[in-house]
């Protein structure tokens, strides 16, 4: 090996050797056996899959594939040009993979490792501890789009619909609605400054900032939502509110427990705290026959139904419950009726 | 983002009714959608595939047949025969856990099987389950088309069209090149003879 490549090798694979180019294999900083010679993408995926499995990291294969694909410039391994599967990777690429993989070994969620994820065809930046959009939530957006398509609304001077999102997180729901409803406008609120900041950044990346107003607000605080009244009555309220039952919080996987904001997950004793707040304030913000769309825990449809019955003063009716792709009751459509 | 016409709720409990599905499928069909059906019938009748014909008819739900009659005015690409969700078997990653906020799985691979033909499509092109489901259906729709229609499938027809256009373009380009060459030769030879005349006249 030439001197310069030996130096590069030494630089890449750490200090603390006993001497010679192979000494680093025994260094405690380097727990994994070296990849001998030139490695292809497929081989590297296999290597890290093995490492993850040994350390009990879930989704070992998928994690490895996403990391390698990302370093090679693709979103998934399957979408890589097949010719790239067998070409050798550069030392820089191998180092990048090594760094990302070490974060996976710390149980960091893939979306935070890659710093981005996709939702409804949009690529969004992801930053801990802002809540990572879940695949189920894409179906919530689909449902809203179907409903909007079926109701040709009396469109005002500024177009529509006017949508309020409660708990916008990374902006996934708001931005996917904006991008697929070119006349819509969104008010997105969140109590986390990190979420406000990230939604703002994602809106700009997608050039949707002109139709979204991002407001720092905690809807559970008395009277806070009155700040939203000036925007006028809304057509829709949409939310994926924190809905986990408090006692279930400690059972969450380390990826979630250690990296995501618990305030974005914990819904209180029966997971209903934020849901009931949204339902209580919605009638004052919604137009006469406006709708609320929620993602919830599978135990909530019944609980929400009884709760609404105990609150006839809200003039809200549970119109439909829709299941997610795993067959679990996951989404609610509640409609306001005229008082 | 393109909207697809399929309903893909996991079980019979999806919020969409059949009528809503039909309404959305309408605008993907056009006149050639209507003519495909009788053509298939006559072709099958000449071959002793009687059983196959009935199998096909029962496979297509009444909903699809109705859609074929309701023609929209669209004149572009004739649509592939729509897939009936009842004939599909979809599989996501096993053990998705409690789901929703309580889970963060990234295995978004979708496996989609067309039960009558046995064709299976596996899609992990994107990081979104939703997109993968739509793509899987699109790919499966084309494969089913090839399976049932062989040479007459839309995919093969389009391939032949594209190849034909490519050959025509090549031919025209060649002809243009030859014309240019000929013109150049003529110009050069006339130039030479002019120069010669000038030289001679000195």
């Amino acid at each position: 090996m030439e001197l310069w490549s030996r130096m590069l090798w030494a630089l890449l694979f750490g200090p603390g050797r006993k001497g010679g180019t192979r000494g680093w294999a025994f260094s405690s900083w380097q727990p994994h056996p070296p990849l001998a010679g030139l490695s292809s993408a497929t081989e590297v995926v296999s290597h890290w899959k093995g490492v993850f499995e040994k350390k009990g990291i879930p989704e070992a294969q998928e994690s490895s594939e996403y990391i390698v694909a990302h370093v090679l410039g693709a979103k998934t391994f399957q979408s890589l040009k097949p010719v790239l599967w067998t070409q050798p990777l550069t030392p820089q690429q191998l180092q990048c993979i090594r760094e990302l993989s070490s974060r996976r070994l710390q149980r960091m969620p893939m979306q935070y490792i890659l710093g981005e994820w996709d939702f409804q065809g949009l690529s969004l930046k992801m930053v801990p501890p802002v809540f990572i959009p879940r695949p189920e939530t894409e179906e919530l957006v689909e449902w809203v789009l179907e409903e909007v398509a079926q109701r040709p609304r009396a469109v005002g001077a500024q177009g529509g619909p006017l949508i309020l999102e409660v708990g916008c997180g990374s902006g996934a729901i708001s931005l996917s609605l904006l991008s697929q409803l070119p006349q819509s406008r969104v008010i997105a609120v969140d109590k986390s400054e990190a979420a406000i900041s990230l939604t703002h950044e994602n809106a700009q990346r997608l050039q949707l900032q002109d139709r979204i107003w991002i407001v720092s607000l905690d809807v559970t605080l008395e009277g806070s939502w009155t700040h939203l009244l000036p925007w006028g009555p809304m057509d829709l309220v949409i939310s994926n509110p924190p809905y986990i039952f408090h006692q279930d919080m400690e059972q969450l996987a380390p990826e979630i427990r250690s990296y995501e904001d618990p305030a974005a997950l914990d819904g209180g004793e029966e997971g209903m705290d934020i849901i009931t707040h949204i339902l209580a304030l919605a009638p004052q913000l919604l137009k006469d026959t406006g709708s609320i769309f929620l993602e919830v825990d599978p135990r909530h449809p019944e609980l929400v139904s009884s709760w609404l019955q105990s609150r006839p003063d809200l003039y809200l009716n549970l119109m439909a419950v829709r299941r997610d792709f795993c067959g679990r009751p996951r989404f609610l459509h509640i409609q306001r009726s005229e008082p | 983002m393109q909207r697809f016409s399929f309903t893909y709720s996991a079980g019979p409990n999806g919020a969409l009714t059949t009528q809503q599905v039909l309404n959305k499928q309408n605008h993907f069909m056009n006149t050639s959608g209507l003519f495909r059906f009788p053509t298939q019938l006559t072709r099958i009748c000449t071959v002793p595939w009687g059983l196959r014909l009935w199998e096909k008819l029962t496979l297509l739900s009444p909903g699809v047949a109705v859609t074929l009659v309701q023609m929209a005015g669209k004149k572009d690409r004739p649509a592939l025969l729509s897939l009936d969700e009842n004939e599909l078997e979809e599989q996501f990653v096993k053990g998705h856990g409690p789901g929703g906020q309580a889970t963060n799985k990234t295995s978004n691979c979708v496996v989609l099987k067309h039960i009558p033909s046995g064709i299976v499509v596996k899609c992990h092109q994107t990081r979104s389950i939703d997109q993968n489901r739509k793509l899987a259906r699109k790919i499966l729709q084309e494969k089913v088309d090839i399976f049932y229609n062989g040479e007459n499938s839309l995919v093969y027809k389009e391939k032949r069209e594209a190849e034909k256009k490519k050959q025509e373009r090549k031919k025209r380009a060649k002809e243009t090149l030859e014309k240019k060459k000929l013109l150049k030769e003529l110009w050069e030879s006339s130039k030479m003879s002019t120069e010669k005349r000038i030289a001679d006249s000195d």
Side-chain angles (χ1 to χ4, degrees):
Chain A
M1 243 172 150
E2 289 171 21
L3 178 66
W4 71 266
S5 56
R6 249 190 285 138
M7 283 168 68
L8 184 66
W9 194 258
L11 187 72
L12 287 176
F13 294 97
R17 269 148 294 119
K18 294 208 172 127
T21 48
R22 298 221 186 259
W24 57 265
F26 304 103
S27 147
S28 59
W29 184 83
Q30 206 59 212
H32 321 299
L35 297 169
L38 301 167
S39 300
S40 69
T42 321
E43 287 165 345
V44 173
V45 164
S46 182
H47 167 79
W48 285 105
K49 177 193 172 184
V51 170
F52 293 149
E53 275 173 347
K54 266 211 192 92
K55 301 284 181 176
I57 307 295
E59 300 194 303
Q61 172 84 16
E62 290 83 354
S63 299
S64 189
E65 284 181 351
Y66 278 125
I67 288 171
V68 173
H70 181 76
V71 169
L72 292 178
K75 292 192 173 187
T76 68
F77 202 71
Q78 195 193 60
S79 70
L80 264 176
K81 288 202 178 79
V83 66
L84 292 177
W85 288 340
T86 48
Q87 270 176 17
L89 302 184
T90 67
Q92 293 83 355
Q93 286 170 330
L94 290 172
Q95 176 60 9
C96 213
I97 291 166
R98 176 177 297 274
E99 274 166 19
L100 298 182
S101 298
S102 72
R103 286 177 216 169
R104 186 67 192 117
L105 286 166
Q106 303 298 315
R107 303 297 292 262
M108 186 181 268
M110 187 54 54
Q111 299 91 339
Y112 290 154
I113 294 172
L114 304 182
E116 62 173 42
W117 202 244
D118 300 333
F119 185 87
Q120 281 274 328
L122 302 177
S123 199
L124 300 168
K125 186 173 175 183
M126 296 284 133
V127 176
V130 181
F131 179 80
I132 296 166
R134 305 301 201 246
E136 285 89 343
T137 313
E138 288 185 300
E139 291 199 61
L140 178 64
V141 172
E142 280 296 328
W143 197 15
V144 171
L145 292 170
E146 285 163 17
E147 290 289 316
V148 169
Q150 269 164 35
R151 275 150 222 248
R153 50 183 20 81
V155 169
Q158 286 152 308
L162 180 60
I163 302 167
L164 169 68
E165 185 191 356
V166 179
C168 54
S170 57
I173 295 175
S174 287
L175 298 172
S176 56
L177 287 172
L178 280 176
S179 73
Q180 294 177 80
L181 296 171
Q183 300 302 312
S184 64
R185 288 162 299 139
V186 170
I187 303 149
V189 312
D190 204 292
K191 74 177 195 182
S192 149
E193 285 305 320
I196 296 297
S197 182
L198 185 58
T199 298
H200 187 69
E201 195 170 346
N202 278 321
Q204 291 201 305
R205 268 157 69 115
L206 297 166
Q207 288 293 290
L208 293 167
Q209 71 275 26
D210 293 339
R211 288 189 286 131
I212 186 171
W213 289 266
I214 307 164
V215 182
S216 177
L217 199 84
D218 180 351
V219 298
T220 63
L221 293 181
E222 185 86 26
S224 61
W225 53 268
T226 55
H227 295 289
L228 301 173
L229 287 171
W231 269 282
M234 302 173 200
D235 296 289
L236 299 170
V237 172
I238 186 169
S239 185
N240 178 22
Y243 59 67
I244 296 183
F245 287 50
H246 181 72
Q247 78 232 33
D248 295 338
M249 289 289 289
E250 58 183 15
Q251 260 113 58
L252 297 175
E255 279 82 2
I256 303 171
R257 243 185 317 120
S258 307
Y259 291 92
E260 285 186 291
D261 184 359
L265 298 157
D266 193 339
E269 198 181 327
E270 286 191 315
M272 289 278 283
D273 290 1
I274 294 88
I275 293 171
T276 51
H277 268 107
I278 293 172
L279 294 174
L281 66 86
Q284 286 146 102
L285 296 170
L286 277 172
K287 284 180 184 167
D288 281 344
T289 51
S291 287
I292 305 161
F293 288 90
L294 298 175
E295 179 181 318
V296 297
D297 180 278
R299 288 163 283 184
H300 284 149
E302 293 219 22
L303 296 176
V304 168
S305 183
S306 342
W307 189 85
L308 285 176
Q309 273 163 30
S310 75
R311 293 293 304 268
D313 59 305
L314 295 176
Y315 295 95
L316 292 175
N317 305 296
L318 178 60
M319 303 298 287
V321 179
R322 178 144 152 167
R323 290 173 186 262
D324 63 25
F325 61 81
C326 291
R328 299 184 177 115
R330 182 66 67 185
F331 310 108
L332 306 178
H333 174 198
I334 295 143
Q335 194 163 23
R336 182 186 190 271
S337 57
E338 292 168 74
Chain B
M1 189 181 85
Q2 197 188 352
R3 301 293 315 282
F4 283 78
S5 65
F6 317 112
T7 171
Y8 46 85
S9 34
N13 301 303
L16 287 182
T17 63
T18 317
Q19 188 53 48
Q20 287 168 318
V21 171
L22 290 179
N23 290 340
K24 291 200 303 180
Q25 281 177 333
N26 278 351
H27 70 281
F28 281 113
M29 306 298 284
N30 67 357
T31 50
S32 63
L34 175 63
F35 291 128
R36 281 169 57 105
F37 209 75
T39 318
Q40 264 188 339
L41 285 173
T42 41
R43 194 165 74 90
I44 287 163
C45 281
T46 61
V47 179
W49 280 356
L51 183 64
R52 190 93 191 270
L53 165 65
W54 286 112
E55 270 178 56
K56 281 195 191 181
L57 286 179
T58 51
L59 288 176
L60 293 166
S61 66
V64 178
V66 170
T67 316
L68 288 170
V69 172
Q70 290 164 344
M71 300 178 292
K74 260 187 145 187
K75 255 225 142 215
D76 53 3
R77 183 189 201 248
L80 294 172
L81 219 52
S82 305
L83 294 176
D84 182 356
E85 280 294 323
N86 296 323
E87 296 173 356
L88 301 182
E89 208 175 73
E90 198 171 26
Q91 214 179 33
F92 313 98
V93 62
K94 292 195 179 79
H96 190 71
Q101 292 173 0
T103 307
N104 182 17
K105 298 277 181 178
T106 58
S107 12
N108 296 332
C109 187
V110 174
V111 180
L112 192 62
K113 181 177 176 184
H114 182 244
I115 303 165
S117 63
I119 299 172
V120 178
V121 161
K122 197 169 158 187
C123 181
H124 198 187
Q125 285 288 315
T126 79
R127 297 188 290 213
S128 150
I129 282 195
D130 199 59
Q131 304 278 84
N132 288 340
R133 294 177 81 184
K134 287 170 177 167
L135 277 170
R137 276 158 176 78
K138 187 160 178 252
I139 297 167
L140 186 63
Q141 201 182 24
E142 289 178 353
K143 289 201 166 171
V144 167
D145 181 39
I146 294 173
F147 181 82
Y148 284 124
N149 300 323
E151 290 267 307
N152 291 328
S153 69
L154 197 67
V155 178
Y156 282 12
K157 275 187 185 150
E158 286 182 342
K159 270 201 182 137
R160 286 199 294 269
E161 274 279 324
E163 190 56 42
K164 195 172 153 196
K165 281 199 174 122
K166 189 180 168 190
Q167 293 305 328
E168 278 171 12
R169 261 184 279 129
K170 266 189 172 167
K171 190 177 165 198
R172 264 181 278 133
K174 194 177 171 196
E175 284 170 2
T176 313
L177 201 65
E178 280 174 7
K179 273 185 195 161
K180 279 185 175 169
K181 216 172 146 191
L182 189 64
L183 280 169
K184 190 178 177 194
E185 281 171 10
L186 285 170
W187 190 78
E188 296 217 317
S189 71
S190 83
K191 189 174 158 207
M192 270 180 6
S193 62
T194 315
E195 283 170 354
K196 187 164 189 295
R197 262 187 281 123
I198 292 167
D200 283 350
S201 65
D202 283 343

